[in-house]
Amino acid sequence: DELPVWVSACKRSTHANLDKIRNLKPEDPTYYKKAKLEDVEKNLRSMGKLGANDKLKEVGCIDCHVDINKKDKADHMKDLRMPTADVCGTCHLQEFAERESERDTLVWPNKQWPQGRPFHSLDWKANVEVAVFASMPQREIAEGCSMCHTNQNKCDSCHTRHEFSAAESRHPEACATCHSGVDHNNWEAYSMSKHGKTVAIMGDKWNWNAPLKDAYTKGGQTAPTCAGCHFEYEGKYSHNVVRKIRWANYPAVPGSAENINSEWSEARLDSWVKTCTSCHSERFARSYLEFMDKGTLHGIAKYKEAHAVAEKLYKEGLLTGQKTNRPTPLPPDKEMFAGFTQL
Protein backbone atom coordinates (compact mmCIF):
# COMPACT_ATOMS: atom_id res chain seq x y z
CA ASP A 1 0.00 0.00 0.00
CA GLU A 2 2.81 2.43 0.85
CA LEU A 3 5.34 1.47 -1.82
CA PRO A 4 3.28 0.21 -4.79
CA VAL A 5 5.97 0.95 -7.40
CA TRP A 6 8.50 -1.24 -5.61
CA VAL A 7 5.94 -4.02 -5.28
CA SER A 8 5.05 -3.92 -8.98
CA ALA A 9 8.75 -3.90 -9.90
CA CYS A 10 9.34 -6.92 -7.69
CA LYS A 11 6.43 -8.77 -9.30
CA ARG A 12 8.03 -8.26 -12.73
CA SER A 13 11.40 -9.52 -11.55
CA THR A 14 13.06 -12.86 -12.13
CA HIS A 15 12.93 -13.33 -8.35
CA ALA A 16 9.13 -13.44 -8.37
CA ASN A 17 8.81 -15.63 -11.47
CA LEU A 18 11.05 -18.64 -10.86
CA ASP A 19 8.66 -21.16 -12.48
CA LYS A 20 8.88 -19.13 -15.67
CA ILE A 21 12.67 -19.58 -15.54
CA ARG A 22 12.30 -23.34 -15.03
CA ASN A 23 10.14 -23.60 -18.17
CA LEU A 24 12.50 -21.71 -20.48
CA LYS A 25 13.41 -23.39 -23.78
CA PRO A 26 17.00 -23.61 -25.06
CA GLU A 27 16.26 -21.19 -27.91
CA ASP A 28 15.33 -18.44 -25.43
CA PRO A 29 18.21 -15.94 -24.90
CA THR A 30 17.54 -16.02 -21.14
CA TYR A 31 17.83 -19.82 -20.97
CA TYR A 32 21.12 -19.40 -19.07
CA LYS A 33 19.06 -18.31 -16.04
CA LYS A 34 17.72 -21.86 -15.66
CA ALA A 35 21.19 -23.22 -14.87
CA LYS A 36 21.86 -20.20 -12.67
CA LEU A 37 18.71 -20.95 -10.63
CA GLU A 38 19.78 -24.57 -10.20
CA ASP A 39 23.17 -23.39 -8.92
CA VAL A 40 21.49 -21.04 -6.44
CA GLU A 41 19.25 -23.82 -5.11
CA LYS A 42 22.20 -26.19 -4.81
CA ASN A 43 24.13 -23.57 -2.88
CA LEU A 44 21.19 -22.90 -0.51
CA ARG A 45 20.79 -26.63 0.16
CA SER A 46 24.48 -26.85 1.10
CA MET A 47 23.85 -24.12 3.72
CA GLY A 48 20.71 -25.74 5.06
CA LYS A 49 18.50 -22.92 3.84
CA LEU A 50 16.58 -25.18 1.45
CA GLY A 51 15.40 -28.76 1.87
CA ALA A 52 17.08 -31.56 -0.05
CA ASN A 53 14.13 -31.98 -2.43
CA ASP A 54 12.71 -28.48 -2.19
CA LYS A 55 12.71 -25.80 -4.84
CA LEU A 56 12.51 -22.08 -4.35
CA LYS A 57 8.96 -20.92 -4.96
CA GLU A 58 9.99 -17.30 -5.31
CA VAL A 59 12.34 -14.76 -3.80
CA GLY A 60 10.10 -12.45 -1.80
CA CYS A 61 10.58 -9.41 0.41
CA ILE A 62 11.32 -11.49 3.51
CA ASP A 63 14.16 -13.44 1.84
CA CYS A 64 16.22 -10.30 1.29
CA HIS A 65 14.99 -8.09 4.14
CA VAL A 66 14.95 -10.71 6.94
CA ASP A 67 16.39 -14.12 6.02
CA ILE A 68 16.18 -16.62 3.18
CA ASN A 69 13.25 -19.05 3.38
CA LYS A 70 12.42 -17.90 6.89
CA LYS A 71 9.51 -19.97 8.21
CA ASP A 72 8.73 -18.36 11.56
CA LYS A 73 7.36 -14.91 12.17
CA ALA A 74 9.63 -11.89 11.73
CA ASP A 75 9.56 -8.84 13.99
CA HIS A 76 9.38 -5.86 11.65
CA MET A 77 10.86 -3.57 14.30
CA LYS A 78 13.88 -5.75 15.07
CA ASP A 79 14.53 -8.18 12.22
CA LEU A 80 14.33 -6.01 9.11
CA ARG A 81 17.62 -5.30 7.33
CA MET A 82 18.70 -3.30 4.34
CA PRO A 83 20.35 -5.94 2.10
CA THR A 84 24.06 -5.43 1.52
CA ALA A 85 26.26 -7.05 -1.10
CA ASP A 86 27.03 -10.05 1.10
CA VAL A 87 23.28 -10.70 1.48
CA CYS A 88 23.00 -10.85 -2.32
CA GLY A 89 26.08 -13.09 -2.24
CA THR A 90 24.24 -15.70 -0.20
CA CYS A 91 22.43 -16.73 -3.39
CA HIS A 92 24.60 -15.11 -6.05
CA LEU A 93 27.81 -16.54 -4.66
CA GLN A 94 29.77 -16.65 -7.93
CA GLU A 95 29.04 -13.04 -8.86
CA PHE A 96 29.87 -11.82 -5.34
CA ALA A 97 33.14 -13.77 -5.28
CA GLU A 98 34.12 -12.45 -8.70
CA ARG A 99 33.58 -8.87 -7.60
CA GLU A 100 35.48 -9.40 -4.35
CA SER A 101 38.40 -10.83 -6.34
CA GLU A 102 39.08 -7.31 -7.63
CA ARG A 103 40.88 -6.73 -4.32
CA ASP A 104 43.60 -9.17 -5.39
CA THR A 105 43.52 -8.54 -9.13
CA LEU A 106 44.28 -4.83 -9.18
CA VAL A 107 47.66 -4.51 -7.48
CA TRP A 108 49.78 -1.69 -8.94
CA PRO A 109 53.42 -2.58 -9.71
CA ASN A 110 54.90 0.32 -7.75
CA LYS A 111 52.07 0.65 -5.22
CA GLN A 112 50.93 3.98 -6.72
CA TRP A 113 47.42 3.22 -5.51
CA PRO A 114 46.21 1.24 -2.49
CA GLN A 115 45.41 -2.40 -3.29
CA GLY A 116 42.08 -2.84 -5.05
CA ARG A 117 41.77 0.84 -5.97
CA PRO A 118 40.09 2.35 -7.84
CA PHE A 119 37.17 0.00 -8.36
CA HIS A 120 34.03 -1.51 -6.95
CA SER A 121 35.26 -3.99 -4.34
CA LEU A 122 36.93 -1.29 -2.19
CA ASP A 123 34.88 1.59 -3.50
CA TRP A 124 34.08 3.30 -0.19
CA LYS A 125 37.29 2.56 1.67
CA ALA A 126 39.58 3.69 -1.13
CA ASN A 127 37.66 6.78 -2.22
CA VAL A 128 35.81 8.23 0.76
CA GLU A 129 37.74 7.09 3.84
CA VAL A 130 40.80 9.11 2.83
CA ALA A 131 42.31 12.40 3.99
CA VAL A 132 41.58 14.35 0.82
CA PHE A 133 37.84 13.88 1.32
CA ALA A 134 38.06 14.59 5.04
CA SER A 135 39.21 18.11 4.19
CA MET A 136 36.08 18.83 2.13
CA PRO A 137 32.88 20.40 3.51
CA GLN A 138 30.48 17.71 4.77
CA ARG A 139 27.75 18.48 2.22
CA GLU A 140 30.25 17.99 -0.60
CA ILE A 141 31.14 14.54 0.70
CA ALA A 142 27.59 13.42 1.40
CA GLU A 143 26.04 14.55 -1.87
CA GLY A 144 28.91 14.74 -4.32
CA CYS A 145 31.08 11.73 -3.57
CA SER A 146 29.47 9.17 -1.30
CA MET A 147 26.33 9.02 -3.47
CA CYS A 148 28.26 6.95 -6.02
CA HIS A 149 30.99 5.34 -3.92
CA THR A 150 28.76 2.71 -2.33
CA ASN A 151 29.41 -0.23 -4.65
CA GLN A 152 31.68 -1.81 -2.03
CA ASN A 153 28.59 -2.64 -0.02
CA LYS A 154 25.77 -2.65 -2.59
CA CYS A 155 24.66 -4.41 -5.76
CA ASP A 156 21.72 -2.14 -6.57
CA SER A 157 23.87 0.61 -8.03
CA CYS A 158 23.85 -1.44 -11.24
CA HIS A 159 20.94 -3.85 -10.66
CA THR A 160 18.30 -1.28 -9.72
CA ARG A 161 15.86 -2.42 -7.06
CA HIS A 162 13.39 -4.01 -6.95
CA GLU A 163 13.36 -5.56 -10.39
CA PHE A 164 17.13 -6.16 -10.27
CA SER A 165 17.13 -6.54 -14.02
CA ALA A 166 20.27 -7.99 -15.60
CA ALA A 167 19.14 -6.55 -18.93
CA GLU A 168 18.96 -3.05 -17.44
CA SER A 169 22.45 -3.32 -15.97
CA ARG A 170 23.87 -4.17 -19.41
CA HIS A 171 22.88 -0.77 -20.80
CA PRO A 172 25.71 1.79 -20.81
CA GLU A 173 23.41 4.29 -19.08
CA ALA A 174 23.59 2.12 -15.95
CA CYS A 175 27.32 2.86 -15.72
CA ALA A 176 26.81 6.55 -16.49
CA THR A 177 25.18 7.07 -13.10
CA CYS A 178 28.66 7.16 -11.55
CA HIS A 179 31.18 7.17 -14.38
CA SER A 180 30.56 10.72 -15.54
CA GLY A 181 31.49 14.28 -14.68
CA VAL A 182 34.53 16.47 -14.88
CA ASP A 183 36.79 14.26 -12.77
CA HIS A 184 36.05 10.98 -14.60
CA ASN A 185 34.17 11.74 -17.80
CA ASN A 186 33.94 8.15 -19.02
CA TRP A 187 30.29 8.43 -20.06
CA GLU A 188 30.87 11.63 -22.00
CA ALA A 189 33.80 10.08 -23.86
CA TYR A 190 31.90 6.88 -24.63
CA SER A 191 28.55 8.41 -25.55
CA MET A 192 30.19 10.78 -28.05
CA SER A 193 32.23 7.97 -29.62
CA LYS A 194 31.11 5.97 -32.64
CA HIS A 195 30.51 3.03 -30.29
CA GLY A 196 28.22 5.11 -28.07
CA LYS A 197 26.41 6.70 -30.99
CA THR A 198 25.69 3.28 -32.49
CA VAL A 199 24.16 2.17 -29.20
CA ALA A 200 22.05 5.35 -29.08
CA ILE A 201 20.84 4.88 -32.66
CA MET A 202 20.41 1.10 -32.81
CA GLY A 203 20.15 -0.04 -29.17
CA ASP A 204 16.36 -0.14 -29.07
CA LYS A 205 16.48 -2.89 -31.72
CA TRP A 206 18.77 -5.15 -29.68
CA ASN A 207 17.75 -7.84 -27.23
CA TRP A 208 19.37 -6.79 -23.95
CA ASN A 209 18.16 -9.98 -22.28
CA ALA A 210 20.88 -11.93 -24.06
CA PRO A 211 23.89 -12.51 -21.77
CA LEU A 212 27.07 -10.59 -22.59
CA LYS A 213 28.76 -13.58 -24.22
CA ASP A 214 25.84 -13.89 -26.65
CA ALA A 215 25.18 -10.18 -27.17
CA TYR A 216 26.35 -10.20 -30.80
CA THR A 217 25.17 -13.66 -31.87
CA LYS A 218 21.77 -13.76 -30.12
CA GLY A 219 21.16 -10.21 -28.99
CA GLY A 220 21.67 -8.53 -32.36
CA GLN A 221 24.21 -6.12 -30.92
CA THR A 222 26.38 -4.23 -33.42
CA ALA A 223 28.61 -2.10 -31.17
CA PRO A 224 30.37 -2.61 -27.83
CA THR A 225 28.95 -1.47 -24.50
CA CYS A 226 30.71 -0.68 -21.21
CA ALA A 227 29.81 -4.08 -19.74
CA GLY A 228 30.63 -5.93 -22.97
CA CYS A 229 34.25 -4.79 -22.89
CA HIS A 230 34.98 -4.36 -19.18
CA PHE A 231 33.37 -7.59 -17.97
CA GLU A 232 35.25 -9.56 -20.63
CA TYR A 233 38.72 -10.98 -20.02
CA GLU A 234 40.43 -13.48 -22.34
CA GLY A 235 37.06 -14.43 -23.85
CA LYS A 236 35.21 -14.98 -20.56
CA TYR A 237 32.85 -12.67 -18.65
CA SER A 238 32.68 -12.01 -14.92
CA HIS A 239 31.90 -9.36 -12.32
CA ASN A 240 35.61 -8.64 -11.91
CA VAL A 241 36.00 -5.59 -14.17
CA VAL A 242 39.59 -4.57 -13.37
CA ARG A 243 41.74 -7.30 -14.90
CA LYS A 244 42.61 -5.14 -17.91
CA ILE A 245 42.94 -1.81 -16.10
CA ARG A 246 46.14 0.08 -16.95
CA TRP A 247 45.46 3.78 -16.33
CA ALA A 248 42.49 3.88 -13.92
CA ASN A 249 40.30 6.98 -13.79
CA TYR A 250 43.03 9.39 -12.76
CA PRO A 251 46.10 8.98 -14.98
CA ALA A 252 47.67 12.21 -13.68
CA VAL A 253 48.24 10.70 -10.23
CA PRO A 254 52.05 10.66 -9.81
CA GLY A 255 53.53 7.35 -10.85
CA SER A 256 50.67 5.95 -12.96
CA ALA A 257 52.47 6.68 -16.21
CA GLU A 258 55.56 4.73 -15.18
CA ASN A 259 53.53 1.52 -15.46
CA ILE A 260 52.68 1.96 -19.10
CA ASN A 261 55.82 0.39 -20.55
CA SER A 262 56.09 -2.32 -17.90
CA GLU A 263 55.48 -6.06 -18.34
CA TRP A 264 52.43 -5.67 -16.07
CA SER A 265 50.92 -3.10 -18.40
CA GLU A 266 51.92 -4.88 -21.61
CA ALA A 267 50.16 -8.07 -20.49
CA ARG A 268 47.00 -6.08 -19.82
CA LEU A 269 47.38 -4.30 -23.14
CA ASP A 270 47.49 -7.68 -24.90
CA SER A 271 44.21 -8.59 -23.19
CA TRP A 272 42.66 -5.36 -24.45
CA VAL A 273 43.86 -6.14 -27.96
CA LYS A 274 42.09 -9.51 -27.77
CA THR A 275 38.92 -7.71 -26.75
CA CYS A 276 39.15 -5.19 -29.58
CA THR A 277 39.95 -7.82 -32.21
CA SER A 278 36.43 -9.20 -31.85
CA CYS A 279 35.57 -6.35 -34.22
CA HIS A 280 38.86 -4.81 -35.43
CA SER A 281 42.14 -6.01 -36.88
CA GLU A 282 45.02 -6.42 -34.44
CA ARG A 283 47.00 -3.74 -36.26
CA PHE A 284 44.18 -1.23 -35.88
CA ALA A 285 43.59 -2.15 -32.23
CA ARG A 286 47.25 -1.79 -31.25
CA SER A 287 47.72 1.47 -33.13
CA TYR A 288 44.61 3.01 -31.59
CA LEU A 289 45.53 1.90 -28.05
CA GLU A 290 49.02 3.34 -28.59
CA PHE A 291 47.41 6.57 -29.79
CA MET A 292 45.35 6.70 -26.57
CA ASP A 293 48.42 6.11 -24.40
CA LYS A 294 50.39 8.85 -26.10
CA GLY A 295 47.47 11.26 -25.85
CA THR A 296 47.21 10.56 -22.13
CA LEU A 297 50.96 11.06 -21.64
CA HIS A 298 50.79 14.41 -23.44
CA GLY A 299 47.88 15.38 -21.22
CA ILE A 300 49.85 14.49 -18.08
CA ALA A 301 52.77 16.62 -19.25
CA LYS A 302 50.45 19.62 -19.67
CA TYR A 303 48.85 18.91 -16.29
CA LYS A 304 52.26 18.89 -14.58
CA GLU A 305 53.12 22.19 -16.23
CA ALA A 306 49.91 23.83 -15.00
CA HIS A 307 50.19 22.20 -11.58
CA ALA A 308 53.65 23.67 -11.05
CA VAL A 309 52.33 27.16 -11.78
CA ALA A 310 49.38 26.77 -9.40
CA GLU A 311 51.54 25.32 -6.62
CA LYS A 312 54.02 28.20 -6.93
CA LEU A 313 51.19 30.73 -6.64
CA TYR A 314 49.84 28.82 -3.64
CA LYS A 315 53.17 28.84 -1.83
CA GLU A 316 53.58 32.55 -2.49
CA GLY A 317 50.10 33.30 -1.15
CA LEU A 318 48.94 34.88 -4.38
CA LEU A 319 45.77 32.87 -5.05
CA THR A 320 42.72 35.05 -4.43
CA GLY A 321 40.67 34.01 -1.42
CA GLN A 322 42.79 31.03 -0.45
CA LYS A 323 43.04 32.19 3.16
CA THR A 324 39.58 33.68 3.62
CA ASN A 325 36.86 31.62 1.97
CA ARG A 326 37.46 28.06 3.11
CA PRO A 327 38.66 26.03 6.10
CA THR A 328 42.34 25.31 6.49
CA PRO A 329 43.16 22.22 4.40
CA LEU A 330 44.58 19.11 5.98
CA PRO A 331 48.28 18.37 5.49
CA PRO A 332 49.02 16.78 2.09
CA ASP A 333 48.08 13.13 1.84
CA LYS A 334 51.40 11.86 0.54
CA GLU A 335 50.24 8.26 0.22
CA MET A 336 47.57 9.17 -2.32
CA PHE A 337 48.55 12.28 -4.19
CA ALA A 338 52.05 13.34 -3.05
CA GLY A 339 51.03 16.99 -3.09
CA PHE A 340 48.75 19.59 -1.55
CA THR A 341 45.09 18.58 -1.35
CA GLN A 342 43.30 21.76 -2.39
CA LEU A 343 43.88 25.39 -3.31
Side-chain angles (χ1 to χ4, degrees), residues 135-153:
S135 64
M136 292 181 178
Q138 182 61 33
R139 182 185 177 108
E140 192 173 332
I141 298 175
E143 297 188 15
C145 304
S146 61
M147 184 168 62
C148 285
H149 289 293
T150 54
N151 292 285
Q152 177 174 333
N153 205 34

Side-chain angles (χ1 to χ4, degrees), residues 19-287:
D19 281 341
K20 181 179 178 181
I21 300 301
R22 291 189 178 95
N23 293 324
L24 288 172
K25 304 301 180 187
E27 59 269 20
D28 193 298
T30 60
Y31 183 71
Y32 74 96
K33 290 186 177 183
K34 186 173 182 179
K36 181 64 63 178
L37 174 56
E38 291 170 357
D39 286 341
V40 168
E41 290 177 328
K42 182 179 179 181
N43 182 44
L44 292 177
R45 290 187 189 105
S46 73
M47 294 187 290
K49 293 183 178 294
L50 192 65
N53 299 313
D54 292 342
K55 293 183 178 181
L56 279 176
K57 295 179 180 178
E58 68 172 8
V59 179
C61 311
I62 200 168
D63 294 300
C64 299
H65 287 285
V66 182
D67 195 12
I68 296 170
N69 234 4
K70 186 176 177 62
K71 304 296 185 184
D72 52 332
K73 187 177 180 180
D75 186 327
H76 279 62
M77 295 298 289
K78 297 178 181 179
D79 297 333
L80 287 182
R81 64 186 179 187
M82 180 61 75
T84 48
D86 57 316
V87 171
C88 301
T90 308
C91 292
H92 299 281
L93 181 61
Q94 179 180 336
E95 290 78 7
F96 178 74
E98 288 170 353
R99 195 207 63 168
E100 289 297 286
S101 71
E102 291 181 351
R103 298 170 183 247
D104 304 313
T105 305
L106 192 57
V107 180
W108 299 90
N110 297 314
K111 305 295 187 290
Q112 294 92 338
W113 298 86
Q115 186 171 346
R117 178 182 164 85
F119 273 98
H120 303 128
S121 60
L122 291 174
D123 196 15
W124 182 270
K125 179 180 179 182
N127 290 283
V128 179
E129 292 180 358
V130 291
V132 68
F133 287 106
S135 64
M136 292 181 178
Q138 182 61 33
R139 182 185 177 108
E140 192 173 332
I141 298 175
E143 297 188 15
C145 304
S146 61
M147 184 168 62
C148 285
H149 289 293
T150 54
N151 292 285
Q152 177 174 333
N153 205 34
K154 284 157 58 77
C155 296
D156 60 10
S157 296
C158 303
H159 301 280
T160 312
R161 53 189 160 175
H162 279 84
E163 195 164 344
F164 302 108
S165 166
E168 178 189 322
S169 68
R170 293 174 186 136
H171 282 69
E173 289 85 352
C175 306
T177 306
C178 299
H179 292 275
S180 57
V182 66
D183 54 341
H184 36 52
N185 62 338
N186 316 110
W187 166 249
E188 291 84 349
Y190 172 79
S191 63
M192 295 305 293
S193 72
K194 183 55 69 176
H195 292 164
K197 288 303 177 191
T198 303
V199 174
I201 295 167
M202 303 298 295
D204 61 344
K205 298 178 176 62
W206 302 346
N207 186 349
W208 295 91
N209 282 301
L212 294 176
K213 68 181 182 66
D214 298 328
Y216 295 99
T217 56
K218 295 181 181 179
Q221 193 168 311
T222 55
T225 60
C226 311
C229 291
H230 287 280
F231 276 57
E232 185 272 344
Y233 178 74
E234 304 288 341
K236 295 183 179 180
Y237 295 82
S238 83
H239 278 61
N240 182 326
V241 299
V242 301
R243 288 181 291 184
K244 295 183 291 194
I245 294 301
R246 301 166 67 240
W247 280 106
N249 279 323
Y250 308 99
V253 170
S256 289
E258 22 176 273
N259 297 326
I260 294 305
N261 294 319
S262 67
E263 290 185 13
W264 177 87
S265 181
E266 288 297 318
R268 287 167 176 252
L269 176 65
D270 288 342
S271 295
W272 268 117
V273 170
K274 289 180 181 178
T275 301
C276 299
T277 51
S278 296
C279 300
H280 303 285
S281 70
E282 181 175 347
R283 185 181 64 159
F284 177 87
R286 289 193 180 278
S287 64

